[in-house]
Structure formats: C-alpha cells, structure tokens
Amino acid sequence: MSENRVALITGAGRGIGATIARTLAAEKTDIAIVDYSDESAAAETLAALKEAGVTARYYRCDVSDFAATKAVVDQIVKDFGKIDILVNNAGITADKLIMRMEEADWDRVLSINLKGCFNMIKHVTPYMMRKRYGRIVSISSVVGLMGNAGQANYAASKAGIVGLTKTVAKEFGARNITANAVAPGFIKTAMTDALTEEQKQAMYKLIPLGALGETQDIANAVKFLVSDDARYITGVVLKVDGGMYI
Ligand code: NAP
C-alpha cells in the first residue's frame, strides 16, 4: 500500500493531463496514467514523474470500454493498494456542424468524453467508499456551458459532465467523496498552437484577461480541488477561462 496519495489520471500521457500528473507528483502523489496509445507516447511524462520521486505506472486502456476500465481500475488497486484521487481528463473532439455530423461522430465523442467519466467513476467509487475518502475531478469545458457552433457532440459531452458531477457529489458526499468539475477556456496546447495569428487575435477579444491559458492553470485548479483546502467543496464547476464565459 502506497503511503503517498494515489491519483488515477486519464489521458495523462500528454497535454493538460500530463501537467496535472506532474503537478500532483510534486505534491508527493503516486500516479497511475490511463491512456489510449502505446506507453512510448507517455515516455517523457513517465520519466518526469519518476524524477519527482513518486511511483508512476502506465495502463493502456480505452476509457469508453466499460469492461476494460473495470479491469484496469482493479489492476491499479492491486498495484498501488488504493485510489484516492480520480481525474477524468481524457477527451477528444470531432468538430462538424450538425448538418454534416455523422452518427459515428456523435457516438465516439460522447462515449469517450462522457461515458468514459461514468465508467471510471463507477469502478473507482466502490474502492473510495471502503476508505471513506475520495476526490474526483472531471475536466469539462466552457463550451459545455455556453455551446459552440460546430461542436454539438463535444459541448453535449462536456455539459453532461456537469450533470454527472453534481449527481456524484450528491450520491457519494456522505462517504467523504467530493466530485467537482473544471471547465477550461482556450488553453495553450498543440491544438491551439496550430491556429493562425489572426484566429488567435480573434480569440483574445473574447477573453477579458486577453491571453490563452496555460496547462498549468488547469493543473493548479485540480491541485486545489483535491487538496485538504477544498475539503468542503463539492459539486462545483470551476471555470478557468480568463473570464471568457461570465
Ligand atoms: P490532448 O492533448 O488531445 O490529450 C488528450 C488525452 O486523452 C491524450 O493523452 C489521449 O491519449 C487521451 N485519450 C483520448 N482518447 C482516449 C481514450 N479513448 N481512452 C483513454 N485516453 C484517451 O487534449 P488536451 O488539450 O490536453 O485536453 C485534455 C482535456 O481537457 C480534454 O478532456 C479536453 O476536452 C479538455 N479541454 C481542453 C481544452 C484546450 O484548450 N486544450 C479546453 C477545454 C477543455 P493518446 O495520446 O493516447 O491519444
């Protein structure tokens, strides 16, 4: 059994999830990464976690697969002895106007972004209940709160996370399990790096703080929500968006 707290973070091989993993590792949290690609895609992240002096392991799993997520959660508990923190971060986009959106685009995004959160919560909470302790944070998006043309599937999945989070907060609160969501705005990642300067300037106009967020801004919010300082906070959606959606 690990003496450190143990965090299961989905989609932590790269992007926002990798920064969350590094940030929690700096707080002496052991990390189980659950990701879709081959382990080599997360090599840099795993090396950084080990350098931080924590135990870090990689588990290859598609979060949309109910049976596979059960097996991976059971394996993580076998390896680490417990799961204190669950961060549902894995997510994809498949943007199209509804006019052009295929059934498969809808199903894929909903099953990874929303059912993936349900799967992990369903399998992790029995272990958390036994310990009477748990911290669950799911990564939503401001798009789930405000809507966005061309992202019906993505926005619906991210709005779904809000309803799921509030329900989990109500169902598990008595067991000292909190559930919160973080809703990022535009964050500097490979996705936003690819935008033209003109597109970026148009974005800045929508953001009162006048800049894109960093992955660290999201990780800081997660770090707070899983800390003892947030012990009395559950069922909230914390926007980290530079004021983009007020
Ligand atoms: P990213 O760089 O594309 O990373 C997504 C991660 O999810 C990758 O590690 C990916 O694994 C993993 N993943 C994808 N499908 C999976 C599956 N079926 N099973 C397990 N893992 C899977 O994305 P990001 O920008 O860091 O975004 C992270 C989260 O923040 C997402 O939920 C996203 O919707 C949300 N968000 C991002 C922004 C933004 O501006 N970037 C804004 C609002 C919300 P592989 O590497 O193996 O494919």
Side-chain angles (χ1 to χ4, degrees):
M1 169 88 66
S2 168
E3 282 180 17
N4 289 346
R5 289 201 299 170
V6 175
L8 187 173
I9 309 173
T10 66
R14 61 189 168 98
I16 291 172
T19 308
I20 295 171
R22 288 177 193 225
T23 302
L24 296 188
E27 302 281 299
K28 294 290 156 234
T29 304
D30 292 333
I31 308 288
I33 296 178
V34 172
D35 228 327
Y36 188 61
S37 296
D38 185 81
E39 181 169 341
S40 59
E44 202 184 307
T45 306
L46 280 166
L49 298 177
K50 283 173 187 156
E51 204 166 302
V54 300
T55 304
R57 287 177 185 244
Y58 185 91
Y59 300 84
R60 190 173 188 186
C61 175
D62 178 349
V63 294
S64 68
D65 182 332
F66 187 80
T69 50
K70 165 127 184 55
V72 95
V73 166
D74 290 346
Q75 187 60 49
I76 290 168
V77 173
K78 248 186 214 147
D79 294 343
F80 289 87
K82 59 179 179 169
I83 297 171
D84 302 297
I85 298 164
L86 166 65
V87 183
N88 287 310
N89 165 78
I92 61 159
T93 53
D95 299 349
K96 278 172 204 158
L97 294 171
I98 289 174
M99 236 176 349
R100 297 200 190 91
M101 190 174 285
E102 304 291 339
E103 184 184 8
D105 298 321
W106 175 271
D107 288 347
R108 211 163 87 78
V109 170
L110 268 291
S111 64
I112 293 172
N113 294 12
L114 183 55
K115 187 185 169 200
C117 294
F118 166 74
N119 288 346
M120 300 308 303
I121 289 166
K122 168 84 181 156
H123 302 315
V124 167
T125 46
Y127 291 112
M128 288 180 166
M129 281 200 288
R130 261 174 247 162
K131 296 265 177 203
R132 292 196 161 262
Y133 180 86
R135 297 287 174 261
I136 300 172
V137 179
S138 301
I139 307 301
S140 175
S141 167
V142 285
V143 162
L145 308 175
M146 59 194 273
N148 199 22
Q151 292 197 305
N153 48 4
Y154 183 77
S157 72
K158 295 299 185 181
I161 286 177
V162 174
L164 174 63
T165 296
K166 291 182 178 181
T167 303
V168 173
K170 290 187 176 184
E171 289 191 11
F172 294 97
R175 302 298 182 102
N176 191 29
I177 298 170
T178 65
N180 294 292
V182 172
F186 284 122
I187 305 302
K188 210 171 172 321
T189 57
M191 190 178 78
T192 42
D193 279 349
L195 298 172
T196 64
E197 198 43 45
E198 201 183 358
Q199 287 171 316
K200 283 185 190 163
Q201 290 303 329
M203 259 188 199
Y204 298 151
K205 290 203 182 111
L206 300 172
I207 305 171
L209 289 182
L212 298 184
E214 306 279 341
T215 59
Q216 192 63 57
D217 295 316
I218 308 307
N220 291 345
V222 174
K223 178 174 113 177
F224 168 65
L225 288 171
V226 304
S227 74
D228 286 345
D229 290 343
R231 57 177 279 273
Y232 202 55
I233 297 175
T234 194
V236 307
V237 181
L238 179 54
K239 288 184 277 122
V240 183
D241 66 348
M244 188 178 144
Y245 181 63
I246 292 175

